């Protein structure tokens, strides 16, 4: 039976990329230190920042909220009801239970009630993949909630697997604009709050383990809209590499940040220059009407599409 | 042993798996993409298993592209 690398007590998890095993206490220590290092290296947060954590009910967002509180940050939660049938109903229950048990402040937005549409309907109305409409909605509502609530930074639970998978996709297409913006922290700019991803040094497996060790109940079920998407395929491919060569994911992503991202700084700046204000909402956009306003107009005018119908016609 | 799988949730009976790594290999599941839980506690790759155990194999991969 393997022993913890630090204390030699029985281990509960093996982490091949660290060539080590850990007990529950020292797994938590490892995770906290990795988050502290990410926050420090990329200047993500200041001690007195008001932080808004975007929480979905999944392991990563609840874990990052938990870790930031552990580290002493002033962090509230933001939950967006996406209207994805039972999946959304259940995810909301996990988030509310987490917040209630700890006496935390949780802000909530409901796409259907507040904006007149939901993700399945938006996907059908715009003929885009559901993840596209979902991501566009969430990014915009995170920005608005942070600005309206007076928060200094929006934190999301994107982890090393998420970032490595996106990097693989962007690299396969040599999409320079996206590569230039694929950073763990984006500074506040006109109309956009600062955004940070404190989990970029930790894997999905480590975050799931954090939740289990900490007794955090989270939604294990996968979003029915995401099943089979390209992003999950990239993750599987990277995990095959990781199995043969532990540490590959961290090397791929963290070396990109270290060696490649600095070369793209000028390009990143060019991508945000020359933005106009949306004529409907004033948000920064390259056109006259921003993508979110166009989405709301199209999706809210469409007949509601139940999630069960989405598998029949995309 | 009784094995609970997720996404979708289902159960199966297996015998003879001597360790977590052995169990995952038999089911052709990625070690990097799964955790094994017994009585609410994680079990490492070389953790011994018995045919009387009840374990959950929990997938850890999630997320859309946004």
């Amino acid at each position: 039976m393997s022993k913890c690398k630090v204390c030699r007590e029985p281990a509960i998890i093996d982490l091949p990329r660290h060539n080590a095993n850990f007990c529950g206490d020292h797994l938590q220590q490892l995770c906290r230190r990795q988050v502290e290092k990410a926050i420090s290296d990329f200047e993500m947060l200041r001690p007195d920042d008001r932080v808004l954590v975007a929480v979905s009910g999944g392991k990563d967002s609840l874990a990052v909220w938990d870790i930031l509180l552990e580290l002493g940050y002033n962090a509230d939660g933001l939950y967006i009801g996406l209207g994805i049938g039972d999946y959304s109903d259940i995810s909301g229950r996990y988030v509310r239970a987490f917040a209630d048990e700890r006496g935390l402040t949780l802000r909530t937005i409901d796409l259907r009630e507040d904006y007149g549409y939901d993700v399945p309907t938006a996907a059908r109305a715009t003929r885009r993949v559901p993840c596209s409409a979902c991501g566009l909605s969430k990014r915009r509502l995170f920005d608005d909630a942070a600005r309206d609530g007076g928060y200094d930074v929006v934190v999301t639970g994107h982890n090393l697997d998420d970032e490595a998978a996106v990097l693989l996709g962007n690299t396969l297409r040599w999409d320079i604009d996206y590569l230039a913006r694929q950073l763990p922290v984006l500074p506040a700019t006109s109309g956009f709050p600062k955004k940070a991803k404190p989990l970029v040094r930790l894997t999905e497996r480590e975050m799931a383990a954090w939740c289990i060790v900490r007794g955090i109940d989270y939604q294990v079920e996968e979003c029915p809209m995401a099943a089979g998407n390209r992003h999950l395929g990239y993750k599987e491919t990277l995990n095959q590499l990781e199995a043969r060569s532990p540490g590959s994911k961290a090397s791929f992503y963290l070396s990109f940040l270290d060696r490649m991202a600095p070369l793209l700084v000028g390009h990143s700046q060019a991508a945000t220059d020359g933005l106009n204000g949306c004529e409907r909402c004033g948000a920064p956009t390259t056109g006259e009407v921003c993508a979110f306003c166009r989405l709301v107009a199209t999706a809210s005018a469409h007949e509601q599409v139940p999630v069960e119908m989405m598998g029949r016609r995309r | 042993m009784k094995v609970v799988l997720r996404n979708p949730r289902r159960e199966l009976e297996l015998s003879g798996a001597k360790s977590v790594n052995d169990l995952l290999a038999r089911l052709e599941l990625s070690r990097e993409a799964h955790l094994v839980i017994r009585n609410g506690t994680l079990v490492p790759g070389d953790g011994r298993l018995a045919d009387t155990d009840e374990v959950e194999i929990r997938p850890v991969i999630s997320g859309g592209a946004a």
Side-chain angles (χ1 to χ4, degrees):
Chain A
M1 183 82 171
S2 54
K3 304 284 188 190
C4 173
K5 175 186 180 182
V6 181
C7 67
R8 308 310 297 166
E9 291 294 311
I12 58 148
I13 190 166
D14 50 302
L15 299 181
R17 75 186 182 108
H18 293 295
N19 193 26
N21 307 303
F22 294 92
C23 68
D25 287 346
H26 289 109
L27 171 72
Q28 291 180 66
Q29 181 187 68
L30 172 82
C31 292
R32 282 191 291 263
R33 286 180 175 175
Q34 293 292 332
V35 169
E36 286 179 309
K37 179 168 174 53
I39 290 172
S40 170
D41 286 355
F42 301 110
E43 300 179 357
M44 291 181 175
L45 304 175
R46 296 167 300 186
D48 57 348
D49 273 345
R50 289 191 69 222
V51 179
L52 186 62
V53 182
V55 282
S56 66
K59 63 188 188 311
D60 304 301
S61 58
L62 293 180
V64 75
W65 197 5
D66 189 43
I67 294 172
L68 291 183
L69 294 168
E70 278 261 298
L71 295 176
Y73 288 98
N74 177 9
D76 294 343
L78 170 65
Y79 172 76
I80 300 175
L82 299 167
I84 308 176
D86 292 345
Y87 176 80
S88 288
D89 296 340
I90 294 168
S91 69
R93 287 202 285 273
Y94 282 109
V95 173
R96 281 188 286 276
F98 181 91
D100 289 348
E101 287 165 9
R102 294 161 179 78
L104 305 174
T105 298
L106 176 67
R107 295 168 176 266
T108 59
I109 296 170
D110 186 277
L111 276 186
R112 174 57 63 185
E113 287 182 14
D114 298 330
Y115 291 90
Y117 74 97
D118 50 54
V119 166
T121 304
R124 177 65 58 80
T126 60
R127 299 182 181 183
R128 298 168 72 165
V129 294
C131 295
S132 172
C134 181
L136 172 60
S137 302
K138 288 193 290 191
R139 284 190 296 273
R140 170 56 181 273
L141 296 175
F142 295 160
D143 288 350
D144 287 356
R147 185 191 61 236
D148 296 347
Y151 291 93
D152 298 295
V153 56
V154 173
V155 157
T156 57
H158 293 94
N159 56 47
L160 175 59
D161 292 73
D162 295 324
E163 295 304 301
V166 172
L167 178 60
L168 178 59
N170 290 339
T171 303
L172 288 172
R173 293 187 299 276
W174 291 116
D175 192 325
I176 301 299
D177 284 346
Y178 281 115
L179 285 168
R181 281 177 280 165
Q182 201 192 331
L183 302 171
V185 63
L186 294 173
T189 56
S190 164
F192 297 108
K194 183 177 181 180
K195 298 186 184 73
K197 302 173 181 177
L199 300 185
V200 291
R201 300 185 60 86
L202 290 161
T203 66
E204 293 200 275
R205 188 165 172 266
E206 290 154 7
M207 287 300 84
W210 170 277
C211 287
I212 292 164
V213 168
R214 300 273 296 172
I216 297 171
D217 280 333
Y218 65 90
Q219 188 168 35
V220 177
E221 288 68 32
E222 182 53 88
C223 174
M225 305 268 84
N229 74 20
R230 193 184 301 169
H231 187 72
L232 290 171
Y234 293 151
K235 286 186 173 182
E236 287 178 16
T237 300
L238 287 166
N239 276 339
Q240 289 172 1
L241 286 173
E242 186 78 15
R244 291 187 176 202
S245 181
S248 293
K249 286 185 291 194
S251 175
F252 180 49
Y253 176 64
L254 298 175
S255 297
F256 163 78
L257 293 181
D258 189 40
R259 298 173 194 168
M260 192 66 207
L263 303 180
L264 300 172
V265 167
H267 205 91
S268 175
Q269 184 60 42
T272 57
D273 284 346
L275 295 177
N276 314 305
C278 170
E279 65 181 30
R280 295 184 192 169
C281 70
T285 179
T286 53
E288 294 179 355
V289 178
C290 73
F292 180 71
C293 284
R294 284 185 272 126
L295 174 69
V296 172
T298 305
S300 62
H302 194 281
E303 180 185 7
Q304 185 169 355
V305 178
V307 65
E308 296 78 15
M309 298 290 290
M310 290 303 293
R312 300 182 189 177
R313 184 165 61 90
R314 288 267 169 103
Chain B
M1 78 188 67
K2 181 176 168 185
V3 180
V4 178
L5 297 157
R6 307 290 294 267
N7 294 343
R9 189 182 183 95
R10 58 209 187 278
E11 295 180 3
L12 56 88
E13 285 288 336
L14 266 180
S15 61
K18 294 188 169 22
S19 70
V20 163
N21 285 338
D22 186 18
L23 174 64
L24 293 175
R26 281 188 184 210
L27 296 173
E28 298 183 341
L29 296 174
S30 161
R31 180 180 172 193
E32 187 64 18
H34 296 86
L35 291 169
V36 172
I37 305 165
R38 178 176 56 199
N39 298 327
T41 302
L42 291 169
V43 189
D46 67 350
R48 309 301 295 176
L49 296 177
D51 283 348
T52 52
D53 282 341
E54 179 175 335
V55 299
E56 175 190 341
I57 299 179
R58 185 174 294 190
V60 301
I61 304 299
S62 64

